[in-house]
Amino acid sequence: MAMLLSILYFLRMRHPREAVDLWLIGLLFIFLEAIVHAAYPAPGPWRNAAHVVALNFFLVAGTIFLWASGRDIFPRKATLSYLFVNSLPISALLTVYGLAIHDLRIYHAVAACGLFLGIVSAFAIARTWKLGRGWWILFVQLCTWIPIWFFASAGSVRDAAYFLLFVLYFATAVVFQISLPRQSLGKVAIVTGFVVWSFVFLFHSWASNHRGYDVLADEIWNLQKFLITIGMLLVLLEQQVSTNEWYAFHDHLTGLPNQRLFEDRLSAAIQQSQVNKTRTALLMVDLDGFKLINDTHGHDVGDELLRHIAHNLRGAIRVPDTLARLGGDEFMIIATDLPSDQPADLIARTSATRIAHALHRAVNINGNALNVTGSIGVAVYPDDTTDEVLLRRLADQRMYEQKRQIPFSF
């Protein structure tokens, strides 16, 4: 496990992510628990203290994992406060059990306190979570602390303590299932690991009282730790691969499709037009005077201007259309599935007018109001040509023809 933690740490150093930091901290507490665990099987004055520390390390690790799993889908500050408040009675009960205190009145008092805090915090957090998620938390609190009360009433204090850890780790598995990407091998390993871990806690008391199963339980107890660590390594690698794939097909500055993805989209659009008997318009957009702005205000302002223009152009196209940046101040737009009952020149004029309006919006950067214009060339498939390469050449030629003439008017 130390080796896997080291690998995760070095991967985190190369690709920093907040989630990985939390995973590392959680796994570090599990690693420390394994060290402390070696101290309390042997009788001695430190046995109970080691037991308390080990149980609370499980609590801290589980809380960190739960926080890491839901930090992108739940409000962060409210969720963190909720987890902190509800971890207090859990820690109190685990501490009482670890110290081998069997006064059932203490367990009842802690259960009542935990249920009260759980209900109050559930009502409080219901105001910040959408879709009524807070009410599900109220249900979870009831299903957690009411069984604890009955376990304590029956004298099963071990079941009471480990049932809390079962709920915590099973909840973590559920939230990881929701938050991690679909079709992720790492997600399967993580969720499976936490589900197994939660049931190890649930059946810990039973396995301890049945000889022959305790050895199997010990093996499973260690298995899920490695399974979760490996799953986290896989998720990190999958995220890095996904990021690399995204950058391979998108422009780093604007986030728009690059030339490689643009060519794929254009081929797909033409094929779709052939099947549906529709038109595809290709628009070449080149900014006028962008070099002067770059030279006058600096490249940082120029880059920010390109990002603003990309944002404005996104708002001027339809959802199925594609906006791409080929480099510099050149943009390409693919307008797909245009009606076949309209003249091609009307389609070209309408499309160019909409884009020109978007270009003429003033952009304010560092207190400077920058106005840009652009030259636009339009070619329509199949009216102008049925050849993909010639379609791009026509759009490029018409754009330069307009650049040599007067600015675009609308």
Side-chain angles (χ1 to χ4, degrees):
M1 188 170 181
M3 185 182 300
L4 292 173
L5 276 171
S6 300
I7 294 173
L8 187 60
Y9 174 77
F10 284 113
L11 284 175
R12 178 262 176 199
M13 294 294 292
R14 297 192 62 176
H15 309 288
R17 285 187 176 90
E18 182 183 352
V20 182
D21 292 339
L22 295 173
W23 293 350
L24 275 170
I25 296 171
L27 289 171
L28 179 61
F29 274 100
I30 295 301
F31 183 69
L32 293 175
E33 183 280 332
I35 297 175
V36 175
H37 183 86
Y40 71 78
W46 299 103
R47 177 184 175 90
N48 289 342
H51 198 187
V52 170
V53 171
L55 289 172
N56 278 278
F57 277 174
F58 277 130
L59 169 62
V60 173
T63 303
I64 292 173
F65 288 136
L66 185 56
W67 163 241
S69 65
R71 65 188 183 85
D72 292 330
I73 58 177
F74 300 125
R76 295 194 177 188
K77 290 184 178 179
T79 304
L80 187 59
S81 300
Y82 171 83
L83 291 175
F84 174 75
V85 168
N86 285 274
S87 65
L88 297 178
I90 299 176
S91 178
L93 193 143
L94 293 176
T95 300
V96 171
Y97 168 71
L99 293 174
I101 298 173
H102 297 285
D103 189 340
L104 302 185
R105 293 173 298 180
I106 298 179
Y107 289 89
H108 283 146
V110 174
C113 180
L115 182 58
F116 173 77
L117 290 176
I119 292 174
V120 172
S121 60
F123 274 104
I125 206 168
R127 299 179 180 179
T128 62
W129 287 5
K130 299 179 181 179
L131 303 177
R133 289 171 179 163
W135 307 114
W136 284 102
I137 294 298
L138 176 61
F139 175 75
V140 171
Q141 291 290 349
L142 293 172
C143 292
T144 300
W145 290 106
I146 290 177
I148 297 301
W149 180 280
F150 285 106
F151 282 135
S153 299
S156 302
V157 293
R158 176 186 285 177
D159 289 327
Y162 282 96
F163 184 77
L164 286 172
L165 294 176
F166 159 73
V167 172
L168 177 60
Y169 280 72
F170 190 80
T172 303
V174 172
V175 180
F176 266 124
Q177 172 65 29
I178 297 172
S179 62
L180 289 177
R182 295 181 179 180
Q183 299 178 345
S184 166
L185 183 60
K187 171 183 178 176
V188 173
I190 290 174
V191 173
T192 302
F194 276 108
V195 169
V196 171
W197 209 344
S198 66
F199 279 95
V200 166
F201 287 129
L202 183 64
F203 291 104
H204 176 71
S205 179
W206 180 87
S208 299
N209 295 326
H210 291 77
R211 287 192 170 184
Y213 292 98
D214 52 349
V215 177
L216 177 61
D218 287 339
E219 293 297 328
I220 298 176
W221 187 274
N222 293 318
L223 173 64
Q224 79 278 353
K225 299 175 185 178
F226 299 109
L227 188 61
I228 291 171
T229 308
I230 292 172
M232 290 176 175
L233 288 170
L234 287 174
V235 166
L236 185 60
L237 292 174
E238 289 168 346
Q239 289 175 346
Q240 188 58 42
V241 170
S242 177
T243 300
N244 292 341
E245 289 178 349
W246 190 90
Y247 278 116
F249 291 98
H250 292 82
D251 172 53
H252 294 197
L253 178 65
T254 62
L256 297 176
N258 59 14
Q259 182 165 351
R260 183 177 178 183
L261 183 55
F262 162 77
E263 292 173 352
D264 292 342
R265 295 274 181 89
L266 180 59
S267 299
I270 290 176
Q271 292 177 3
Q272 186 175 348
S273 289
Q274 292 173 346
V275 174
N276 298 337
K277 306 300 181 183
T278 56
R279 287 188 172 102
T280 293
L282 181 62
L283 290 81
M284 168 74 79
V285 181
D286 187 87
L287 303 183
D288 297 327
F290 178 74
K291 184 178 185 302
L292 179 61
I293 292 176
N294 238 356
D295 295 340
T296 304
H297 299 280
H299 290 283
D300 290 341
V301 172
D303 290 345
E304 187 65 24
L305 177 63
L306 288 175
R307 282 191 283 265
H308 279 279
I309 291 173
H311 175 75
N312 292 340
L313 290 177
R314 279 196 194 99
I317 66 174
R318 304 171 306 162
V319 174
D321 297 343
T322 296
L323 170 65
R325 180 181 177 229
L326 302 190
D329 57 351
E330 289 186 350
F331 296 87
M332 294 290 288
I333 298 170
I334 307 170
T336 62
D337 266 343
L338 298 174
S340 57
D341 56 350
Q342 293 183 4
D345 58 343
L346 177 61
I347 291 177
R349 183 70 179 177
T350 302
S351 302
T353 300
R354 187 171 64 252
I355 299 305
H357 273 290
L359 288 175
H360 276 259
R361 294 177 188 169
V363 176
N364 194 304
I365 302 176
N366 298 332
N368 298 314
L370 303 178
N371 292 280
V372 296
T373 59
S375 301
I376 305 172
V378 186
V380 180
Y381 171 91
D383 300 75
D384 290 322
T385 180
T386 58
D387 183 79
E388 180 180 327
V389 176
L390 185 56
L391 190 72
R392 291 184 58 180
R393 189 176 303 166
L394 284 172
D396 189 63
Q397 289 175 355
R398 290 169 182 175
M399 181 272 294
Y400 277 107
E401 288 174 4
Q402 187 187 106
K403 188 178 286 288
R404 287 192 293 267
Q405 299 171 1
I406 61 173
F408 184 80
S409 168
F410 57 90

